[in-house]
Amino acid sequence: MELHETNNYIDDLFPIGIYHVTPYQCIPHGRGYRDLHWHEELQYVLVLKGTVTFQVNGIDYHLKENDVLFINKSILHVSTFMSSNSCYISLNFPEKLLDFYPNSRIHYKFVSPYTDSCQLTAYQFNDSFISEQLLSIYSLLNQSNKEYDIALLILQLWKKSIHYFEKLELTKEEKEAIKIIQEECKKVG
């Protein structure tokens, strides 16, 4: 079985996907429930109803209604349990959406220290702001001419997520790598 998932976006010029998952189906069609996989995109999961368990790199995350799970890029994960009445939405998008433009200072200061971190494979939130951002994105995704609004919501979601990610303990090697990146950024700008 192929573990790598390639997300098929409705619009390749705006590569954002939201999946609605129940124990019985995934809309639009995707890997869904009990299907171990990984992908290059960042992923946020919001439990809308019931309880769901995700396994990320062998660690179980037990989620209830309004809980959010961030899953970093290229990380093996699977939803291993869903109560019979449960459902969740999953937002997937490439990290480059957060960069503003290629090789930006934003990327080196606020994106890659987290998306390239070995420490940050997943993070569980119970934060109403993050839940509301995901619901807003979900409600706007099928409306026309809302790409800019969605992109701004994703940036706000990421900014709030960083607030939590910063509290993670980094390894000595990761701290050194971040210091080198920050020093290089100072030289550039």
Side-chain angles (χ1 to χ4, degrees), residues 34-187:
R34 290 192 177 163
D35 195 350
L36 180 67
H37 64 283
W38 67 273
H39 41 74
E40 287 88 2
E41 293 84 4
L42 304 174
Q43 180 175 352
Y44 282 88
V45 174
L46 169 62
V47 177
L48 299 175
K49 192 165 114 179
T51 59
V52 179
T53 300
F54 269 84
Q55 189 174 86
V56 182
N57 271 2
I59 298 170
D60 287 336
Y61 293 87
H62 304 286
L63 309 171
K64 61 186 181 326
E65 191 172 323
N66 294 321
D67 282 350
V68 174
L69 181 64
F70 167 76
I71 304 170
N72 212 340
K73 65 181 183 177
S74 303
I75 302 295
L76 272 175
H77 60 280
V78 61
S79 51
T80 58
F81 171 80
M82 296 182 75
S83 59
S84 61
N85 67 336
S86 64
C87 64
Y88 66 85
I89 56 172
S90 175
L91 169 69
N92 295 16
F93 60 91
E95 74 177 305
K96 68 183 176 182
L97 183 69
L98 303 171
D99 291 349
F100 291 93
Y101 60 91
N103 297 312
S104 69
R105 179 175 291 125
I106 299 294
H107 174 79
Y108 293 112
K109 286 181 75 174
F110 301 106
V111 180
S112 69
Y114 307 104
T115 60
D116 294 337
S117 171
C118 297
Q119 289 286 110
L120 182 60
T121 57
Y123 193 94
Q124 185 172 345
F125 303 94
N126 188 322
D127 182 296
S128 60
F129 178 83
I130 291 176
S131 300
E132 290 166 13
Q133 293 296 99
L134 287 164
L135 286 172
S136 295
I137 294 165
Y138 182 57
S139 69
L140 290 174
L141 196 60
N142 293 319
Q143 296 180 31
S144 61
N145 300 315
K146 295 295 183 178
E147 295 89 349
Y148 198 74
D149 294 327
I150 292 169
L152 290 174
L153 288 169
I154 289 173
L155 290 171
Q156 291 171 343
L157 173 68
W158 185 252
K159 182 179 178 186
K160 181 70 171 188
S161 298
I162 288 173
H163 171 76
Y164 289 98
F165 299 161
E166 288 175 334
K167 296 175 184 175
L168 291 173
E169 287 296 318
L170 300 175
T171 66
K172 181 180 175 185
E173 292 80 14
E174 287 174 317
K175 287 178 184 176
E176 289 172 5
I178 290 170
K179 185 177 177 182
I180 291 168
I181 289 169
Q182 289 172 336
E183 289 171 2
E184 290 301 314
C185 286
K186 287 178 186 175
K187 291 177 187 176

Side-chain angles (χ1 to χ4, degrees), residues 7-40:
N7 285 296
N8 297 311
Y9 298 108
I10 294 169
D11 181 354
D12 288 333
L13 296 177
F14 192 62
I16 292 176
I18 289 198
Y19 299 88
H20 186 271
V21 182
T22 71
Y24 314 104
Q25 65 181 351
C26 177
I27 301 172
H29 181 71
R31 296 303 281 261
Y33 177 45
R34 290 192 177 163
D35 195 350
L36 180 67
H37 64 283
W38 67 273
H39 41 74
E40 287 88 2

